[in-house]
């Protein structure tokens, strides 16, 4: 009793109402938190009751889980096959490029130089800003300027495309059975000089295989029929003009 009296004497009576108010506020706060926790516990119990294995919802969830697992397995297997096929194909393409890039590029360079009447000396591989391999033409001037495809005129791009196709075909018939080459008016945008150069290439190729050229431009036939345009030393090629 004496101790209680001693402690009580140290307390300021004026502060007691404020402390009581603070305690009541804290009690209300804790009651609200308790109510929220009880609500969360109730929701959790309800959720667990739905999936305790003794309800339809649990069966539906289990069925969905099995279906999802089957889909994951299917798409995982499919991804592995496609990814593996992609790697194999990429390796084969790279091997083909290594085997054929040199010979094809060498043939294409000669053809491209002829079709551009010597304005380009050859073709070569270079690298862009991302270090990707690209094809460029060497313009025949004092510094042999490298010209990318996007820097070539439409006519030069046509000549480049034709050079690559003809070079690939020449490479193919060197180690395979000869087969006819069918061409449809690829010279329509060529002037007479470039047309003559291309006809000379067709003439040379016709010694190894048949060239079938479709055209409705009479001046191309006239150029082809003129022995002086092609060169008197060139044998009459087996080219069918339709």
């Amino acid at each position: 009793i004496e101790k209680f009296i001693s402690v009580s004497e140290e307390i300021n009576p004026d502060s007691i109402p404020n402390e009581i108010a603070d305690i009541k506020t804290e009690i209300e706060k804790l009651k609200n938190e308790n109510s929220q926790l009880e609500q969360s516990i109730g929701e959790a119990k309800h959720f667990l009751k739905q999936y305790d294995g003794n309800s339809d919802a649990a069966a539906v969830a289990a069925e969905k889980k099995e279906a999802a697992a089957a889909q994951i397995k299917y798409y995982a297997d499919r991804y592995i096959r496609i990814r593996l096929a992609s790697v194999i194909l990429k390796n084969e393409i790279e091997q083909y490029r290594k085997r054929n890039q040199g010979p094809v590029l060498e043939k294409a360079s000669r053809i491209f130089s002829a079709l551009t009447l010597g304005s380009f000396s050859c073709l070569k591989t270079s690298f862009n800003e991302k270090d990707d391999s690209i094809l460029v033409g060497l313009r025949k001037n004092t510094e042999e300027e490298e010209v990318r495809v996007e820097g070539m005129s439409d006519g030069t791009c046509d000549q480049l495309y034709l050079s690559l196709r003809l070079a690939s075909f020449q490479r193919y018939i060197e180690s395979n059975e000869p087969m006819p080459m069918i061409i449809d008016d690829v010279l329509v945008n060529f002037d007479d000089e470039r047309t003559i150069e291309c006809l000379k290439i067709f003439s040379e190729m016709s010694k190894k295989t048949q060239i079938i050229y479709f055209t409705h431009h009479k001046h191309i036939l006239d150029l082809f029929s003129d022995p002086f345009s092609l060169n008197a030393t060139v044998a009459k090629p087996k080219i069918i003009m339709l």
Side-chain angles (χ1 to χ4, degrees):
I1 293 174
E2 288 79 7
K3 186 176 181 181
F4 175 77
I5 294 172
S6 174
V7 172
S8 299
E9 289 175 349
E10 296 176 1
I11 297 175
N12 182 4
D14 295 333
S15 67
I16 292 176
N18 291 333
E19 291 183 12
I20 291 173
D22 291 341
I23 292 171
K24 286 182 178 180
T25 302
E26 184 69 19
I27 290 172
E28 288 300 321
K29 180 181 176 182
L30 292 173
K31 282 182 179 179
N32 291 333
E33 290 181 1
N34 183 66
S35 177
Q36 292 175 0
L37 290 172
E38 286 180 348
Q39 184 178 351
S40 298
I41 291 170
E43 291 174 355
K45 286 181 177 179
H46 179 68
F47 180 82
L48 290 173
K49 186 177 180 181
Q50 285 184 315
Y51 294 95
D52 63 358
N54 298 319
S55 65
D56 293 339
V60 171
E63 186 177 344
K64 288 183 178 179
K65 184 189 76 170
E66 293 298 328
Q71 277 193 322
I72 291 172
K73 183 179 185 304
Y74 168 76
Y75 285 113
D77 291 345
R78 187 162 178 251
Y79 172 80
I80 290 171
R81 289 196 299 269
I82 293 174
R83 184 66 177 170
L84 183 59
S86 173
V87 172
I88 293 173
L89 180 60
K90 184 177 180 180
N91 289 340
E92 287 300 315
I93 291 174
E94 182 64 19
Q95 291 300 319
Y96 178 85
R97 185 188 66 80
K98 288 180 179 179
R99 289 195 304 269
N100 294 278
Q101 177 177 277
V104 169
L105 194 60
E106 183 181 350
K107 296 177 186 297
S109 291
R110 291 197 298 267
I111 296 172
F112 186 59
S113 180
L115 295 184
T116 59
L117 303 180
S119 61
F120 284 86
S121 59
C122 68
L123 297 169
K124 62 173 284 189
T125 55
S126 185
F127 297 93
N128 62 15
E129 297 77 8
K130 297 180 180 179
D131 263 352
D132 295 326
S133 180
I134 60 172
L135 186 66
V136 298
L138 289 184
R139 196 186 298 277
K140 203 169 185 179
N141 53 32
T142 54
E143 298 180 358
E144 286 199 324
E145 172 193 3
E146 288 188 2
V147 181
R148 297 185 180 185
V149 175
E150 57 266 27
M152 299 179 183
S153 66
D154 291 343
T156 304
C157 285
D158 289 344
Q159 292 149 20
L160 172 61
Y161 174 77
L162 182 58
S163 299
L164 293 170
R165 294 303 298 269
L166 294 178
S168 297
F169 186 78
Q170 288 179 359
R171 172 67 174 170
Y172 177 83
I173 62 176
E174 285 177 354
S175 54
N176 295 276
E177 288 286 333
M179 65 178 184
M181 184 175 187
I182 300 175
I183 308 166
D184 185 12
D185 252 348
V186 295
L187 304 176
V188 64
N189 294 320
F190 284 37
D191 59 26
D192 285 355
E193 289 182 289
R194 289 172 173 79
T195 298
I196 290 171
E197 290 300 323
C198 191
L199 290 176
K200 288 179 181 179
I201 295 169
F202 291 163
S203 176
E204 189 65 30
M205 291 175 62
S206 70
K207 297 176 182 179
K208 298 181 180 180
T209 189
Q210 186 180 43
I211 308 294
I212 302 174
Y213 186 90
F214 291 91
T215 184
H216 60 280
H217 293 277
K218 187 176 182 301
H219 74 279
I220 294 179
L221 179 60
D222 293 339
L223 288 172
F224 175 74
S225 302
D226 183 1
F228 296 102
S229 65
L230 291 183
N231 190 331
T233 62
V234 177
K236 185 66 176 176
K238 299 175 182 179
I239 300 181
I240 301 175
M241 307 288 284
L242 300 175

